[in-house]
Amino acid sequence: MPLLSLRLENFRLVGRANIELAPGINLFWGDNAQGKTTVLEAAGMLATGRSFRTARDRECIGWGAGEQRVGAVEGVFTAGPSRHEVRVAIEPSRKAVWLDRKPLRALSELWGLFRTVFFVPADLGLIQGPPQQRRAALDTLLSQSQPAYLQTLVGMTRALASRNGLLRRHVPPTDPQYDAFEKTLAVSAARTMLARARLAERLTEATRVTMAEITGGTEELALVYEAGFGTASGIGALCAAGTPADELAAELLALWRRARKGDLERGVTREGPHRDDLRFEIGGHDARSYASQGQTRSAVLALRLAELDLLAGLDPGRPPVLLLDDILGELDAGRAERFLNLVAKRQVQTLMTATGAAIVEATLPVERRFCLEKGNVTPDRETPGADRSGGQ
Amino acid sequence: MPELPAALQQLIAELGKLPGVGRRSAERMAFALLASEPDDVRPLADAVTRLHVEVGLCETCGYYTDRGVCPICTDPSRDETVLCVVEMPVDVIAFERTGGFRARYHVLGGVLSPLKGISPDDLNVAGLRKRLQNASIAEVILATSPSVEGEATAHYLSQILARDGVRFTRIGRGVPMGGSLDLADSGTLRLALEGRRAID
Ligand SMILES: [Zn+2]
């Protein structure tokens, strides 16, 4: 079982909590704004060192931290035969991560040890929302399945920012500094793009199963990788064809060299993997413009389940942990119930939040239950009041 | 707690600016210095005062020296055909610790970084160009760190300094990604040197 215990210290509104988790389904219930999502956020932080709610870590430091201003999350989990301890401590201007009591130099050293798949209400906007959300979905899954990917991605981002730096400083297009940074950029960009394209294919295969499960076999979903270059460039086709990375890098290098003049006018690199996107097609149509709200919701749930299946298949000894935030509040009852049944079928450790416990327990074999009130986490076994557990 | 005397406060603040020294360590050091005899503290004060007066950078290679030219550059037993290009003077120390590496060095003083506004003019590239006019140099090892900036700087130098009869090589991947040379142990660095390859 992956996550054995979770400890929060001055983390948002939770002053102190020691949570002993069950290997099955753990339910955190209570009214809104009592700290339910915070518990899930803390669990996610152990996997990635980051919050899924905010890019500004300091927001996680609780008021109770007082003068020391440190918020922390600790967790003990098993990875295959071994047992690990992670601590993430957040201070106003820095963050430190320890693995088995040794400080880590880079967050990438953490990724992949303890994996999570989460569903948060914001996911419902994934298909129609801005592309960075869809790129982030691909990057998160890739970083969890192959930690080297994260290093490549970080390098690519830095090389791209460096090229943009040259453009912003109006360095003339013939300056060899462009060649130097474009070479470095092309190598990491080619690897990043090929990995994303390959993942889109694997997700399409995996969602064939999960979409059928969720919709009862009526809808067909495909995920299509769209390279951040115009179609005329042929880059998208090269990625889809699984071109060797060095050949793709040579093509990218030539494209960026030719683009320098135009990029200089705009002061920014116009085309590249930072413009990549992931297109959802339902029944052969682009879901951004053609799908109903019900269809896009099914597609997002199918994607998350597919992620779970992919990660579980990658290493059967270390299944990922599923984090579900307020799924009942966001989905209609029928769809939510079908989804929860599919979750139960997969028998992975799940941490989920809900405003009431009864409706979840009617569908799912909840193993352990915690009540949240004003940031206090209390294990409970009593039946919650009927008014709270009623239909949401 | 009443305020500490001004001189003590200042020492703690100054020590705390050093790399790897937190507030607590700075306090411990300051209190230890205060507890020792004045004569025992004087050599430390002298060494700090002499540091910038006496130590400068070698005119030829940019490594630390208290003469115009450093002992490595004037050592006749060094291999004149190989030049190892590094980012900072401390990197020279890392290579020297591997033992048995008998090349000469060239310290750039950093790497290209459009993000930090460091351009070729801010690095000792002109000095390197001049040294390459010496016909005896047959190999230039580009030993900048394996970061984005380090890689790009190696590409840049191999492109602008290319000439017949000089081979440009890059140290192998023994050096940890994103790690700096002075953090690599000498075994790792020796492997990196052995694994060097021609730069494309
Ligand atoms: Zn010298």
Side-chain angles (χ1 to χ4, degrees):
Chain A
M1 122 180 157
L3 191 55
L4 304 171
S5 65
L6 184 60
R7 225 173 106 101
L8 284 75
E9 272 171 40
N10 299 316
F11 194 76
R12 293 199 191 258
L13 72 165
V14 180
R16 185 169 288 271
N18 276 307
I19 305 167
E20 300 290 326
L21 293 155
I25 293 167
N26 296 270
L27 173 66
F28 297 88
W29 71 279
D31 288 337
N32 285 326
Q34 305 296 309
K36 301 189 300 282
T37 305
T38 301
V39 175
L40 260 53
E41 181 185 25
M45 202 152 224
L46 295 176
T48 63
R50 292 184 197 155
S51 159
F52 62 69
R53 283 163 107 181
T54 176
R56 285 184 295 271
D57 290 320
R58 55 187 309 166
E59 285 177 13
C60 297
I61 306 172
W63 293 111
E67 258 186 57
Q68 292 189 331
R69 305 279 289 135
V70 186
V73 183
E74 274 176 32
V76 179
F77 59 89
T78 52
S82 47
R83 198 182 146 102
H84 296 288
E85 231 183 280
V86 171
R87 178 180 162 88
V88 181
I90 300 162
E91 293 173 35
S93 56
R94 64 188 205 115
K95 175 165 64 182
V97 182
W98 287 266
L99 174 62
D100 298 327
R101 291 161 195 241
K102 286 185 208 76
L104 294 185
R105 281 202 290 158
L107 281 185
S108 57
E109 295 174 55
L110 185 66
W111 282 70
L113 265 178
F114 166 64
R115 305 181 172 116
T116 57
V117 170
F118 51 81
F119 172 90
V120 295
D123 287 350
L124 294 172
L126 184 71
I127 291 174
Q128 273 115 350
Q132 65 254 36
Q133 229 179 310
R134 291 183 290 276
R135 280 196 299 274
L138 289 176
D139 291 340
T140 304
L141 187 53
L142 283 167
S143 302
Q144 293 203 79
S145 45
Q146 46 195 69
Y149 178 83
L150 184 59
Q151 284 195 346
T152 307
L153 183 68
V154 168
M156 185 198 83
T157 310
R158 193 154 179 93
L160 184 69
S162 302
R163 185 179 187 270
N164 287 338
L166 294 173
L167 295 169
R168 252 194 332 271
R169 285 166 200 277
H170 307 290
V171 174
T174 48
D175 193 298
Q177 288 184 80
Y178 281 106
D179 298 285
F181 282 97
E182 283 167 6
K183 268 182 198 161
T184 313
L185 174 60
V187 171
S188 51
R191 283 190 210 150
T192 304
M193 296 174 81
L194 288 168
R196 286 175 178 170
R198 170 105 185 79
L199 179 64
E201 280 171 24
R202 293 184 60 196
L203 280 172
T204 299
E205 281 166 37
T207 50
R208 197 163 293 153
V209 177
T210 57
M211 190 70 173
E213 284 178 310
I214 286 169
T215 61
T218 57
E219 312 267 14
E220 213 165 278
L221 175 68
L223 294 135
V224 186
Y225 170 74
E226 292 181 333
F229 287 87
T231 336
S233 70
I235 294 295
L238 287 175
C239 292
T243 307
D246 51 346
E247 281 176 36
L248 180 61
E251 292 291 325
L252 296 174
L253 198 57
L255 276 171
W256 278 317
R257 186 168 295 159
R258 282 201 298 274
R260 280 179 206 165
K261 269 192 182 155
D263 287 352
L264 264 167
E265 280 170 29
R266 297 283 301 276
V268 69
T269 305
R270 289 165 301 168
E271 292 188 312
H274 56 297
R275 304 294 298 274
D276 281 0
D277 203 346
L278 182 67
R279 186 171 75 239
F280 287 66
E281 283 180 0
I282 299 175
H285 296 289
D286 188 338
R288 263 173 300 207
S289 25
Y290 290 103
S292 70
Q293 197 194 43
Q295 282 176 317
T296 58
R297 290 185 168 205
S298 292
V300 171
L301 294 174
L303 171 69
R304 294 305 187 206
L305 272 186
E307 289 180 12
L308 193 66
D309 291 348
L310 278 185
L311 285 177
L314 195 70
D315 187 349
R318 288 193 293 146
V321 175
L322 185 60
L323 308 174
L324 301 175
D325 190 24
D326 195 23
I327 195 150
L328 295 172
E330 295 296 329
L331 296 176
D332 55 277
R335 204 183 305 272
E337 200 179 311
R338 221 167 312 139
F339 180 69
L340 292 180
N341 276 317
L342 294 169
V343 166
K345 207 176 106 188
R346 280 163 171 81
Q347 297 190 314
V348 293
Q349 189 183 31
T350 303
L351 277 64
M352 66 180 295
T353 68
T355 44
I359 187 170
V360 180
E361 292 186 317
T363 316
L364 281 179
V366 172
E367 198 168 339
R368 207 161 289 177
R369 222 168 67 184
F370 302 88
C371 173
L372 272 109
E373 209 176 349
K374 291 182 183 145
N376 290 312
V377 187
T378 325
D380 80 330
R381 258 295 151 213
E382 274 130 79
T383 310
D387 52 328
R388 272 178 170 167
S389 56
Q392 287 275 326
Chain B
M1 193 179 82
E3 234 178 46
L4 294 170
L8 193 54
Q9 272 188 41
Q10 193 190 342
L11 181 60
I12 292 169
E14 292 303 322
L15 288 170
K17 289 179 191 167
L18 296 172
V21 182
R23 169 95 200 164
R24 277 289 174 80
S25 314
E27 282 175 4
R28 272 210 308 277
M29 287 184 215
F31 295 142
L33 289 169
L34 188 60
S36 46
E37 294 297 323
D39 279 350
D40 293 338
V41 177
R42 206 156 293 129
L44 176 64
D46 285 347
V48 172
T49 316
R50 282 169 58 199
L51 194 63
H52 280 277
V53 178
E54 292 178 24
V55 182
L57 299 180
C58 169
E59 288 163 15
T60 306
C61 74
Y63 180 54
Y64 300 132
T65 184
D66 51 8
R67 296 161 241 184
V69 178
C70 78
I72 296 175
C73 287
T74 49
D75 180 353
S77 74
R78 292 269 168 169
D79 186 349
E80 269 187 56
T81 65
V82 182
L83 194 59
C84 182
V85 178
V86 297
E87 291 177 20
M88 302 305 279
V90 290
D91 298 332
V92 174
I93 299 170
F95 277 101
E96 287 296 292
R97 284 206 180 119
T98 63
F101 185 59
R102 305 291 295 161
R104 290 195 172 137
Y105 300 94
H106 189 84
V107 182
L108 289 170
V111 277
L112 292 176
S113 173
L115 290 172
K116 292 183 190 155
I118 301 171
S119 75
D121 298 340
D122 301 308
L123 305 175
N124 190 7
V125 176
L128 181 58
R129 196 190 289 274
K130 216 170 120 199
R131 288 179 81 182
L132 283 182
Q133 282 159 6
N134 172 350
S136 58
I137 293 175
E139 181 182 358
V140 176
I141 303 172
L142 297 162
T144 47
S145 61
S147 63
V148 166
E149 285 85 350
E151 288 286 341
T153 305
H155 283 308
Y156 176 81
L157 294 175
S158 66
Q159 186 179 340
I160 64 150
L161 300 174
R163 63 181 61 219
D164 289 339
V166 181
R167 203 159 68 95
F168 286 85
T169 56
R170 184 92 175 100
I171 53 169
R173 275 276 181 228
V175 179
M177 264 304 276
S180 64
L181 289 177
D182 62 333
L183 288 172
D185 63 60
S186 35
T188 311
L189 213 48
R190 199 170 321 136
L191 284 175
L193 272 170
E194 283 164 10
R196 66 189 193 257
R197 54 187 163 67
I199 192 164
D200 40 18

